[in-house]
Amino acid sequence: MTGDPADTNPELYRVVFENERVRVLEYRDTPGDRTAPHRHPDTVMVTLSAFSRRIRSGGREVGVEMPAGAVRWVAAQEHSGENVGGTPTHAMFVELKEPRPGGAAGGTALGPAGP
C-alpha cells in the first residue's frame, strides 16, 4: 500500500485531531487538484462543501458527486483522486484506528458508500 495522505499530499490534507482511537483529517482542494496515491483506513467522511471528483485505483475509476453536509462511510481503501468540478472541495475524514470486528478484511469498495 502507498502512504498516509497527510504525508503524500500535505498541501491538501491536514491532521486536526488525533488520539489512540481516531484521527481527523481536514481536506481542501481546488478544481483540477489531484492527490497522489494514498490509503485510508475505515473512515467516516463529512462534506463541508459540495464537490465533484474522480477516484482511481487499480485500473478502476468512479465519479463521486457529493452535496455539502453529507456524511458517508468510506471503507478502507487505497486510491488517488482529482477535483473534476468547478468548485473547491472541503471535507473532514474521521479515520478509525481500531481493527474491524473479527479481524475482517476490507472490501473492494472505491469511494464513499451511500447513506
Side-chain angles (χ1 to χ4, degrees):
M1 258 198 189
T2 56
D4 179 323
D7 294 334
T8 62
N9 291 101
E11 72 285 6
L12 302 175
Y13 285 95
R14 179 173 71 99
V15 177
V16 294
F17 177 82
E18 185 167 12
N19 67 21
E20 65 279 351
R21 298 182 70 195
V22 300
R23 180 172 80 155
V24 180
L25 298 174
E26 179 179 36
Y27 178 81
R28 290 179 178 263
D29 73 11
T30 58
D33 283 347
R34 296 174 184 226
T35 62
H38 60 275
R39 62 175 156 50
H40 293 279
D42 287 341
T43 299
V44 175
M45 177 180 67
V46 180
T47 62
L48 302 176
S49 68
F51 59 82
S52 178
R53 25 192 339 92
R54 186 171 298 120
I55 306 293
R56 295 180 180 93
S57 181
R60 296 182 332 167
E61 183 176 295
V62 297
V64 176
E65 298 273 340
M66 297 294 296
V71 179
R72 297 288 187 272
W73 176 254
V74 181
Q77 59 189 264
E78 180 180 353
H79 62 235
S80 62
E82 176 183 3
N83 181 333
V84 295
T87 61
T89 302
H90 189 195
M92 303 297 282
F93 292 87
V94 181
E95 297 183 333
L96 306 179
K97 292 184 174 184
E98 296 176 350
R100 287 175 173 246
T108 58
L110 184 57

